[in-house]
Amino acid sequence: MNQTIPFQKNENNTNDIENQYELPSFPNSDTSSQNLADLELEYDQYKASETNNKSNHGPDLETNNLDVQFSNTYNTGDKKNSIKNHQIQINTFNADSVIIPSFEEHAISFKDYYRHSLKENFSLKSVKEYALSIFPIIRWLPHYNLAWFSSDLIAGITVGCVLVPQSMSYAQIATLPPQYGLYSSFIGAFTYSLFATSKDVCIGPVAVMSLETGKVITKVLAKYPEADPNITAPVIATVLAFLCGVITAGIGFLRLGFLVELISLNAVTGFMTGSALNIMWGQIPALMGYGSKVNTRTSTYKVIIESLKHLPDTKLDAVFGLIPLFILYLWKWWCGNMGPRMADKWFANNEKGNFYLKKFYFYAQAAKNAVIIIVFTAIAWSITKGKTKDERPISILGSVPKGLKEVGVMKLPDGLASKIAPELPASVIVLLLEHIAIAKSFGRINDYKVVPDQELIAIGVTNLIGTFFNAYPATGSFSRSALKAKCEVRTPLSGLFTGSCVLLALYCLTGVFLYIPKATLSAVIIHAVSDLIASYHTTWNFWKMNPLDCFSFIVTVFITVFSSIENGIYFAMCWSCAILVLKVAFPAGKFLGRVEIAEVVNGCVDDSFEVTDYSSNSNLSLSADTINHNKKLKILHIPLLKTLKDQLFSDISSIQGKSKIRYYTKWLPFDHAYTKELNPNVIILPPPPGVIVYRLTDSFTYMNCSKHYDVIFEEIKKQTKRGQLIRHRKKSDRPWNDPGEWEAPNFSKLWKKLSFRRNKNNNDNEETHIPDVPVSKRDDRPLLKVLCLDFSQVAQVDATALQSLVDLRKAINKYADRQVEFHFAGIVSPWIKKGLINIGFGTINEEYSDESIIAGHTSYHLARIPGDDLELPTMRGGNYKVYTATGTNLPFFHIDIPDFYQWDV
C-alpha cells in the first residue's frame, strides 16, 4: 500500500533520520552496525510513532517526521518545487533498507557561472583593484621607514657600482656605443621601481638580450643595400625596444602572463647556456686583440674555429684581457669560498670578528669588477695618454658623451618596423623568459609573491619610457639580482639609488671611460656570463628527474651553438608545446581493481613481526617462530605485541566479532607495482564479473577521446563476451572487421565427404574414421553490465569528447545486446556534469538507461555533520545532521567509486 506523508523542511528532519535508522558510521566512529533484529525493532517503533501521529494530528497535518513516498519515480521538476517538496522515493521498504532523503540536483547554468566566477570581476571594486595593481608602490610606500631606507641605499649603491662597467660591456655586445648601455641602465632602474612586485630584480642591459639586439641590428642593416644615414644601430635598437615594450606591456595589461609558462625550465636553461657560450666565444677575439678579424655574429662553432685560426695575431691586448680574467676568477673563488672558510677557522670563538670579516669578503666580491676596471684603466691611461689612435698599443673604449645627450622622442623611419618584425618573436621571448624566471626564482627563495602579469607591465613600460632616452631593450639580470638579494635589499625603491649611481657616472666619469681597455671589458663580460652556463649538476638533475627534459636541454644547447640563438629559442618553445600536446593526446588511462585499505593512527612500525587480521573472528595471528624470535632478541616486543593487539583489535565478545580497524574499498590500477601507488605484494582484486572500472588521468578532450575510446572498447571485448554470440548470427549480419573464427567454405566440406567415401570404397579392409569436427569452445566470460568511469582527474571536457562517449555507449550496448550502465565518479567540474546530463548520461531514460537496469542495486552516498549539541563525531550518542551527498535524480553519478561487490550485479 502506497502512502505519502508531507515533508516539513527544517533542520531537525536530518536528525530524525539518524535517530530512527542508524546510518553507516565514519571509519573513526565507535558505533557498530546494527543487526537485522535491531533494524526490525526500530522499524516497528517507526510504524508505531507514525500511527500515533496520524491519530493525534490527522493524515494531512505536517509533522517533523521523515516524509516517505512509496514510489519508484525521480522528480525532474523545477528547482523551486524540488526545494519545497523533499520526498523519499523508495520502491519497496524492508528492514534492511536505509531511508535516503530526496535531493534534486540541477545542472549548472551560465547565470550560476556568472555569479560564481565573473560577477566580482565586473564590479567597481574590481576596477579599483586592477588600477591599484598596476602601481604596487602605492600599497607599500606609505609604510616606508628608515630601516628599509638604509638597506635599500647600501644595496642600490653596491649594484650601481657593478652596473656601470657591465652596462658599457653589454653595449659592446650589442654593437652599440657604451653610453647607450648607461642610458638603458639608469632609466630601467628608475622606472622598474614604480611597477615592480619583486624587490630583488635589477633591470638593465643583460648579456643574452644584448646579443639578440646585436643580431637584430646586423640583420636589419643587411636589408638596406645602400647606407642610409637615418638607419643607424642606435635607431634600430631603440625601435626594437619600443616594439618589445608595446607587446610586453600589452600582454601584461591583458593579464596573459600565463603564456610564459608554455616554455619549460629546461628549455630556458638550454638556450641560456647556448647563448652564454656564444657570448663568451664572441669576446675571445677582442680579449686577444684581433676582434676586427673575426665575424662574431655567425654561428658559435664558426666563431670558435675562426678565433683559434687567428691566435697568431694576438696583440698586447691579451695582457689587459687574460690577466684581469684570471684575477676575477681567483677573486671570486677566494671571496666566495676560501675566505669564509678561513674566517670560520680564525674566528671560531669570535662571532663579531667572523661577521665583519665575512661582510668584508661579501662587499669585496661585489666590487671586484669596479676595482679591476679602475686598476687596468689607470695602466692603460699611462701607456696611451697623448697618443693617436694608430699609435696606441692597445684598443681602448674611446670617448663617451657627458650627460644625457640623446634625450627626446625617438625616430621611427618609414619601413623600419616592418623589417624588424621578423626578429620580434625571439626578442620578446628572451625579454620575457629571462625576467620572469629570475623574478619567480628570487620570490620563492626570499618568500614573497611575484605577479607575472605585473612584471610584464613593468618590463614593457620600462622599455617604452626608455625610448625617450634612446635606450635599447632591457630586462632582469641574474647576476645583479643575486647581488641585490645578498645585500638584503628591502624594497624595489633601491632602483632609485642604482639609477643615481649610473647618472653620476654619466656626468662625472665620462672622461675616465675614454681609457678603459676593450680587452678588460671583454674579460668582465666573459666572467659575468660564465655563471649562465648550466653546471654538470644541473644536467644530471634533469636526467634524474626526467630524461626527456635532459634531452631537450642538450638539443637546445647544440642548436644554439651550431645554428643560432633564434633557432634554439624556437626549438625550446616547440619542444615544450609538443610535450604538452603529447601528454594530452596519449593519456595514461588506467583500469582499476579493488583493495581494502584501513588507516591505523599511531601504529607501531616494526619489521620483526607480521600482523594478520582475520575479519571473520578478529584474531591476531602470530607465528610461534616470530614470538620465539622476539623473546630471544627483543624482550620488549612481548608487551608491545600485547599493546598492539589491544589497540588494533578488540575482544570478540565486546563488539560482536567486529574489528576496530575499519577497512574501506579503494580502487587502484592493476599495475600498482609499476606506478608505486601500493605495496607490490598486495593483490588487486578485479571488479565483479561484468563490471569494468576505468580512470581517465587527464582532461577528456578532442585530442585524446579517440585513444580512450579504443582502449576501453578493446578491454571490454577482452574481458566480456557478446550479448549475442557471433557464431549464432548469420554470416551476412556479421561486421566485416569482426567476422569471428574462420570456417571452411561449404564446397570444401563437400570435397572432404567425397574423398572420405572414395577412400572407403578403395580400402574396405582398412580401419578408417571420420575426422573429428572441431567444436566451438564455450565462452565463460561474463556479459558486460556496468562501466564505471572515474572522472576525478578530469578537469574539462569538450563536445568532441562527449560525442565520442555517446558513440562508445551505442557501440557497447550493441556489443552487449543490452543496456549497459554508465556510472561516473568524482566529477570535479559542474560543466562536465551538465554536458553529460544533456546527452543522456546520469539520469534514467528509456533509450539508454531505464529503471530496470538499476533494480536492486541503486547506490547513494550520505554525508553527516555534527549536530547542534557540538559533540565530537567520534563520540557515541552524538547527534548528526545527515544529507544526501549527490542528487537522487542522478543515480549514475557518485562522489566516489561505488563498492560494486555490494551490488546485485
Side-chain angles (χ1 to χ4, degrees):
M1 177 178 178
N2 294 342
Q3 187 175 6
T4 301
I5 303 175
F7 183 73
Q8 180 178 352
K9 179 174 174 56
N10 57 57
E11 60 182 8
N12 296 324
N13 287 327
T14 51
N15 295 335
D16 293 339
I17 302 170
E18 183 74 16
N19 294 334
Q20 295 172 20
Y21 295 96
E22 183 168 343
L23 299 171
S25 301
F26 287 164
N28 59 351
S29 175
D30 293 335
T31 306
S32 61
S33 302
Q34 290 184 328
N35 55 24
L36 184 60
D38 295 334
L39 289 174
E40 290 177 348
L41 178 60
E42 289 186 358
Y43 174 67
D44 294 337
Q45 294 174 354
Y46 169 77
K47 296 301 292 182
S49 64
E50 180 184 10
T51 303
N52 293 335
N53 288 331
K54 288 181 182 180
S55 61
N56 296 333
H57 304 288
D60 297 330
L61 186 63
E62 293 185 358
T63 68
N64 290 332
N65 291 330
L66 188 65
D67 312 329
V68 179
Q69 177 181 352
F70 295 100
S71 63
N72 192 22
T73 61
Y74 290 86
N75 186 2
T76 58
D78 60 8
K79 188 173 182 179
K80 295 181 179 179
N81 293 333
S82 64
I83 294 176
K84 294 179 179 179
N85 300 313
H86 282 254
Q87 296 177 338
I88 304 302
Q89 299 151 349
I90 302 176
N91 185 30
T92 304
F93 185 84
N94 54 63
D96 293 328
S97 298
V98 176
I99 297 178
I100 306 298
S102 175
F103 167 57
E104 297 290 331
E105 185 174 341
H106 297 270
I108 191 174
S109 64
F110 180 79
K111 185 177 181 180
D112 298 329
Y113 173 71
Y114 173 78
R115 289 178 175 176
H116 181 269
S117 303
L118 299 180
K119 184 177 180 180
E120 61 180 9
N121 297 325
F122 293 96
S123 62
L124 293 177
K125 181 180 178 180
S126 64
V127 175
K128 179 182 177 182
E129 290 295 327
Y130 176 80
L132 290 176
S133 67
I134 297 176
F135 298 95
I137 191 173
I138 297 176
R139 299 183 182 275
W140 56 262
L141 188 60
H143 304 277
Y144 204 76
N145 53 65
L146 187 61
W148 291 4
F149 172 79
S150 60
S151 298
D152 291 344
L153 179 63
I154 295 172
I157 294 175
T158 304
V159 174
C161 295
V162 175
L163 181 57
V164 171
Q166 273 194 358
S167 60
M168 292 189 293
S169 303
Y170 293 151
Q172 183 176 331
I173 299 176
T175 66
L176 294 171
Q179 65 267 23
Y180 290 94
L182 297 173
Y183 298 158
S184 300
S185 299
F186 96 87
I187 193 60
F190 279 161
T191 308
Y192 181 72
S193 59
L194 303 177
F195 298 91
T197 60
S198 171
K199 67 181 180 66
D200 298 305
V201 174
C202 178
I203 288 287
V206 295
V208 180
M209 193 64 224
S210 298
L211 176 64
E212 179 62 21
T213 302
K215 290 183 177 293
V216 172
I217 291 173
T218 303
K219 291 182 179 180
V220 172
L221 288 177
K223 296 179 181 179
Y224 289 91
E226 297 181 0
D228 188 344
N230 295 323
I231 307 297
T232 60
V235 171
I236 297 173
T238 304
V239 174
L240 178 64
F242 171 76
L243 297 176
C244 290
V246 170
I247 295 173
T248 307
I251 294 174
F253 282 119
L254 295 176
R255 297 297 189 248
L256 300 178
F258 66 90
L259 296 175
V260 180
E261 307 295 342
L262 292 176
I263 304 180
S264 59
L265 173 63
N266 54 287
V268 175
T269 307
F271 82 77
M272 291 286 287
T273 299
S275 301
L277 291 173
N278 190 309
I279 294 168
M280 291 176 64
W281 278 101
Q283 294 302 310
I284 293 295
L287 186 80
M288 305 302 290
Y290 50 83
S292 61
K293 297 181 179 181
V294 178
N295 179 16
T296 59
R297 299 303 166 192
T298 184
S299 300
T300 306
Y301 78 98
K302 294 181 180 179
V303 176
I304 296 174
I305 294 173
E306 292 297 320
S307 298
L308 295 177
K309 281 183 179 180
H310 288 279
L311 278 178
D313 299 325
T314 301
K315 298 179 181 179
L316 183 62
D317 297 74
V319 176
F320 288 82
L322 293 176
I323 293 177
L325 185 61
F326 173 77
I327 294 175
L328 285 171
Y329 279 111
L330 179 63
W331 196 323
K332 178 182 179 182
W333 170 76
W334 182 266
C335 294
N337 296 288
M338 194 63 188
R341 292 180 185 175
M342 298 297 291
D344 292 333
K345 183 178 180 180
W346 294 342
F347 296 94
N349 299 323
N350 188 349
E351 294 184 1
K352 190 174 182 180
N354 190 352
F355 172 77
Y356 283 112
L357 185 57
K358 286 186 176 180
K359 279 291 183 181
F360 168 76
Y361 282 129
F362 171 75
Y363 286 106
Q365 173 87 314
K368 63 181 183 295
N369 289 335
V371 173
I372 291 295
I373 291 290
I374 292 171
V375 171
F376 282 87
T377 299
I379 298 173
W381 172 79
S382 65
I383 65 175
T384 59
K385 182 181 179 182
K387 295 182 180 180
T388 63
K389 183 176 181 181
D390 295 333
E391 295 174 346
R392 294 168 185 166
I394 62 172
S395 297
I396 58 177
L397 190 60
S399 61
V400 176
K402 183 178 180 180
L404 302 175
K405 298 294 185 181
E406 304 293 340
V407 178
V409 180
M410 72 169 189
K411 300 176 183 178
L412 183 57
D414 295 338
L416 181 58
S418 61
K419 289 181 171 58
I420 295 177
E423 315 300 329
L424 277 178
S427 301
V428 172
I429 291 169
V430 172
L431 200 71
L432 300 186
L433 288 184
E434 189 170 1
H435 178 88
I436 297 299
I438 293 171
K440 293 175 68 175
S441 175
F442 283 101
R444 289 190 294 266
I445 293 173
N446 295 324
D447 193 24
Y448 62 87
K449 182 181 179 181
V450 171
V451 183
D453 293 320
Q454 181 59 29
E455 289 298 311
L456 297 182
I457 294 176
I459 302 173
V461 174
T462 296
N463 283 281
L464 286 175
I465 296 178
T467 59
F468 292 95
F469 299 88
N470 280 355
Y472 74 94
T475 187
S477 168
F478 180 82
S479 59
R480 297 194 298 270
S481 299
L483 175 61
K484 207 173 179 182
K486 290 179 181 178
C487 290
E488 298 181 355
V489 64
R490 303 298 294 273
T491 70
L493 207 62
S494 62
L496 297 181
F497 307 114
T498 301
S500 299
C501 290
V502 178
L503 273 180
L504 182 64
L506 266 171
Y507 279 96
C508 301
L509 300 178
T510 52
V512 180
F513 295 159
L514 170 66
Y515 298 100
I516 297 177
K518 288 186 176 180
T520 305
L521 286 179
S522 296
V524 172
I525 293 171
I526 293 173
H527 176 263
V529 301
S530 61
D531 293 335
L532 299 179
I533 298 178
S535 65
Y536 70 93
H537 292 293
T538 302
T539 308
W540 181 240
N541 286 334
F542 281 145
W543 174 261
K544 290 191 295 184
M545 291 185 291
N546 191 332
L548 287 177
D549 289 345
C550 182
F551 174 80
S552 168
F553 165 74
I554 294 174
V555 172
T556 303
V557 172
F558 271 85
I559 292 177
T560 306
V561 170
F562 289 96
S563 180
S564 66
I565 182 176
E566 294 86 354
N567 292 336
I569 293 172
Y570 295 146
F571 170 79
M573 290 183 57
C574 293
W575 176 270
S576 300
C577 294
I579 292 297
L580 178 64
V581 171
L582 287 176
K583 288 180 179 179
V584 177
F586 296 93
K590 302 289 185 180
F591 290 98
L592 308 182
R594 174 181 178 269
V595 66
E596 291 186 348
I597 301 292
E599 179 184 2
V600 179
V601 180
N602 298 327
C604 299
V605 179
D606 200 310
D607 59 358
S608 61
F609 62 90
E610 181 179 354
V611 178
T612 303
D613 177 22
Y614 295 96
S615 58
S616 59
N617 54 19
S618 299
N619 290 332
L620 179 66
S621 178
L622 299 172
S623 65
D625 294 337
T626 302
I627 296 177
N628 292 332
H629 171 76
N630 285 280
K631 285 181 179 179
K632 294 177 182 179
L633 300 181
K634 299 182 179 180
I635 305 300
L636 293 178
H637 283 175
I638 296 303
L640 179 63
L641 293 178
K642 184 178 184 303
T643 303
L644 183 66
K645 179 178 179 180
D646 293 339
Q647 289 180 352
L648 300 185
F649 304 100
S650 62
D651 183 51
I652 189 171
S653 60
S654 62
I655 57 169
Q656 302 174 357
K658 298 291 184 179
S659 171
K660 284 186 178 179
I661 295 182
R662 299 302 178 92
Y663 287 90
Y664 60 93
T665 298
K666 185 69 177 178
W667 294 87
L668 295 174
F670 288 105
D671 60 347
H672 62 283
Y674 170 76
T675 59
K676 309 300 182 184
E677 289 188 63
L678 190 66
N679 187 340
N681 296 323
V682 178
I683 299 176
I684 299 292
L685 301 177
V691 178
I692 290 180
V693 182
Y694 183 74
R695 174 186 294 163
L696 293 85
T697 56
D698 209 329
S699 294
F700 190 40
T701 62
Y702 70 96
M703 297 186 65
N704 56 30
C705 60
S706 298
K707 180 72 174 179
H708 285 302
Y709 181 103
D710 295 337
V711 170
I712 295 173
F713 199 45
E714 288 299 323
E715 183 69 12
I716 288 173
K717 291 193 292 186
K718 179 181 177 181
Q719 299 294 339
T720 64
K721 64 182 179 181
R722 289 181 176 274
Q724 182 181 359
L725 298 183
I726 196 167
R727 64 173 178 267
H728 295 159
R729 297 170 61 184
K730 295 181 181 180
K731 288 186 177 182
S732 59
D733 295 335
R734 300 177 185 177
W736 65 271
N737 58 346
D738 191 12
E741 296 183 0
W742 184 81
E743 297 178 0
N746 293 333
F747 70 87
S748 177
K749 295 180 180 179
L750 179 62
W751 176 258
K752 288 183 178 180
K753 292 181 180 179
L754 294 176
S755 300
F756 168 72
R757 292 179 180 177
R758 184 171 61 254
N759 294 335
K760 183 178 181 180
N761 295 332
N762 296 336
N763 305 300
D764 292 335
N765 297 329
E766 296 181 6
E767 183 179 358
T768 60
H769 64 279
I770 301 176
D772 294 336
V773 178
V775 181
S776 300
K777 295 182 181 180
R778 181 176 179 179
D779 193 349
D780 294 328
R781 295 178 300 171
L783 287 171
L784 178 64
K785 299 178 181 178
V786 174
L787 174 62
C788 181
L789 300 178
D790 183 3
F791 270 49
S792 59
Q793 299 181 21
V794 178
Q796 60 180 345
V797 298
D798 58 19
T800 306
L802 291 177
Q803 183 58 45
S804 72
L805 207 57
V806 173
D807 298 338
L808 178 65
R809 175 174 58 184
K810 293 179 180 178
I812 289 176
N813 288 348
K814 184 176 181 180
Y815 176 85
D817 198 29
R818 65 188 302 276
Q819 289 183 356
V820 175
E821 297 181 45
F822 273 72
H823 290 263
F824 299 86
I827 297 177
V828 296
S829 169
W831 292 100
I832 296 178
K833 184 173 290 187
K834 178 183 177 69
L836 292 171
I837 294 174
N838 288 339
I839 58 176
F841 288 103
T843 60
I844 292 179
N845 55 78
E846 296 180 359
E847 185 176 3
Y848 295 111
S849 52
D850 55 32
E851 296 179 2
S852 63
I853 66 174
I854 62 171
H857 62 264
T858 53
S859 174
Y860 301 100
H861 286 90
L862 294 177
R864 73 177 186 180
I865 61 175
D868 295 333
D869 57 0
L870 300 179
E871 293 189 27
L872 295 177
T874 56
M875 296 177 61
R876 186 177 181 85
N879 295 326
Y880 302 94
K881 293 182 179 180
V882 181
Y883 300 93
T884 307
T886 55
T888 53
N889 61 322
L890 303 173
F892 299 99
F893 291 152
H894 310 278
I895 294 291
D896 202 357
I897 301 176
D899 186 358
F900 295 105
Y901 282 85
Q902 306 297 327
W903 289 21
D904 182 18
V905 180

